[in-house]
Amino acid sequence: MSGEIATPALIVHGEIARRNVATYASLAAEHGVSLRPHAKTHKSEVLAGWQRDAGAQGLTVATYQEAEYFVGAGHRDVFIACPPVGPARQRVLASLIGEADVVVSADSVDVIAAIDDVGRAAGRAIRYYWEVDAGFARFGSGAGEATVAELLNAQRYPHATFAGLMAFNGRSYAIEDVRDIARVSRAETELVLLTAELLRTAGLEVPVVSVGSTPSAGTVAAIPGITEIRPGTYIFNDATQVALGAATLADCAQTICATVMSAPADGRIVIDAGSKALPKEIMCRFTVGYGTVLGYPGLVIERVSEEASVLVWSTPDHVDPPRVGDQIQIVSNHCCSATYLYSHFLLIDGNDVERLPVNARTR
């Protein structure tokens, strides 16, 4: 990278990001499923526009503030993957349902009652996806009869309309062997499809079966009965996706540009990207250190402090190390978190460089 870039800086490589957008749009089209990408990855109106123009049905967002931004920017089909718990979220939901087709998530009858209250006050029904726990043990009711019982109970609320089932295919991040991703993703998805079939047998229509995660997308999109996929990371990819085999380094569209500030000992350098600029996350067992340094195989981000990180060589045989003043590019372990750390990013398209805001960053 040019030494003229003020570092640390978040870089988006436009050509790669567009290619990733096109790849997943083609995947969804090939299997006849809707693509609802998760905009928390980029939080950018420009990049959301690329996804919409490539054929995405709508957006998934993580927070009600993200929903406010993207609806305000003209997106009219938004799924909020967060239950509207608490007055603040409910006020935002009430303000959005007249402007866009907004769907929210729920996993308990208490949440359905809250959705019904907002809908009743607005004089319209609000649609929701019911979340099934497919094994990640985060949000979601138990698959199968447990969900059927809760959902049948929830039908007594007239201003909350069941629009489908959803699940997060998160177990792929905890696998012991990368060859298990397809098997684990199918097992997660089968739990959701079983729940959908039980609901239909009980007399409840299930219009949408929506599953999500980038590592699982290629597998689950091809499974009969899935109607929607919600990957997010794919637009950028990161070192975790590379380690899981879902991408290569050539598919990584987001990098963090950092400057070598010190080389205090042989085999050790210090850069100006610490935890405020580089996610301090380990998301799977297959990554090494806190990101991948492009062009320097064997150079490991060993320690991350607040304002600086320490890099060391993992092998005695290595290429010439970067010198003080050199700038390096890092593919982080988690691109979504990297996005959140910056207020702006540099979009590089060939010789063109544009500074763009991370629009939906503020909570």
Side-chain angles (χ1 to χ4, degrees):
M1 297 297 295
S2 168
E4 296 179 0
I5 294 177
T7 59
L10 189 67
I11 310 293
V12 172
H13 303 271
E15 181 179 352
I16 301 174
R18 286 192 182 90
R19 186 175 72 232
N20 294 340
V21 168
T23 295
Y24 276 70
S26 296
L27 171 70
E30 176 186 354
H31 296 292
V33 297
S34 297
L35 174 62
R36 187 182 290 278
H38 212 315
K40 70 171 184 177
T41 299
H42 54 73
K43 301 180 186 288
S44 163
E45 168 54 20
V46 168
L47 303 189
W50 291 1
Q51 293 172 316
R52 178 180 53 199
D53 293 346
Q57 172 187 322
L59 293 178
T60 301
V61 298
T63 71
Y64 286 76
Q65 290 77 13
E66 288 178 0
E68 275 188 304
Y69 175 78
F70 284 110
V71 169
H75 290 266
R76 291 294 175 261
D77 190 342
V78 176
F79 167 53
I80 309 174
C82 175
V85 174
R89 292 184 180 90
Q90 290 160 17
R91 284 193 296 271
V92 174
L93 177 60
S95 72
L96 295 179
I97 55 178
E99 301 179 44
D101 182 9
V102 174
V103 181
V104 297
S105 69
D107 64 358
S108 71
V109 176
D110 287 343
V111 172
I112 300 303
I115 295 170
D116 186 73
D117 286 343
V118 176
R120 183 185 303 109
R124 65 176 70 205
I126 298 172
R127 297 194 303 139
Y128 64 90
Y129 288 169
W130 185 279
E131 183 159 4
V132 175
D133 177 13
F136 192 62
R138 191 173 64 180
F139 288 107
S141 59
E145 296 292 352
T147 291
V148 173
E150 291 230 50
L151 261 174
L152 291 177
N153 186 21
Q155 299 316 297
R156 58 195 167 96
Y157 292 99
H159 292 91
T161 301
F162 174 59
L165 291 177
M166 65 162 289
F168 172 57
N169 297 91
R171 289 174 57 202
S172 51
Y173 290 100
I175 57 172
E176 299 290 322
D177 188 320
V178 293
R179 294 171 296 184
D180 287 339
I181 288 182
R183 178 186 60 79
V184 168
S185 298
R186 282 192 293 268
E188 290 173 316
T189 303
E190 286 167 4
L191 289 174
V192 186
L193 291 172
L194 168 65
T195 305
E197 194 56 38
L198 290 173
L199 285 168
R200 294 183 181 112
T201 300
L204 194 61
E205 291 294 321
V206 185
V208 173
V209 180
S210 175
V211 292
S213 85
T214 293
S216 69
T219 297
V220 301
I223 297 177
I226 295 303
T227 65
E228 180 178 278
I229 58 174
R230 305 186 323 276
T233 305
Y234 76 94
I235 188 171
F236 292 152
N237 290 309
D238 51 31
T240 299
Q241 302 306 318
V242 174
L244 291 172
T248 68
L249 283 176
D251 300 318
C252 293
Q254 182 200 77
T255 57
I256 294 165
C257 182
T259 299
V260 178
M261 304 297 286
S262 177
D266 185 40
R268 185 171 87 238
I269 63 173
V270 182
I271 61 172
D272 62 350
S275 62
K276 292 178 179 177
L278 176 68
K280 193 176 181 180
E281 291 185 64
I282 303 293
M283 296 187 66
C284 75
R285 62 180 297 165
F286 308 110
T287 51
V288 178
Y290 295 99
T292 298
V293 183
L294 297 182
Y296 294 96
L299 187 57
V300 176
I301 305 172
E302 182 184 59
R303 288 182 281 138
V304 178
S305 302
E306 190 174 355
E307 302 289 352
S309 293
V310 175
L311 285 63
V312 299
W313 292 103
S314 60
T315 61
D317 299 324
H318 51 73
V319 299
D320 289 338
R323 300 177 179 180
V324 172
D326 286 350
Q327 294 191 335
I328 60 175
Q329 293 184 75
I330 300 167
V331 175
S332 75
N333 284 347
H334 193 185
C335 60
C336 306
S337 295
T339 298
Y340 188 78
L341 294 173
Y342 292 83
S343 61
H344 290 76
F345 61 91
L346 297 180
L347 176 61
I348 298 180
D349 258 328
N351 293 324
D352 296 328
V353 180
E354 185 176 6
R355 188 172 187 263
L356 294 174
V358 179
N359 304 103
R361 176 174 177 259
T362 302
R363 285 188 178 273

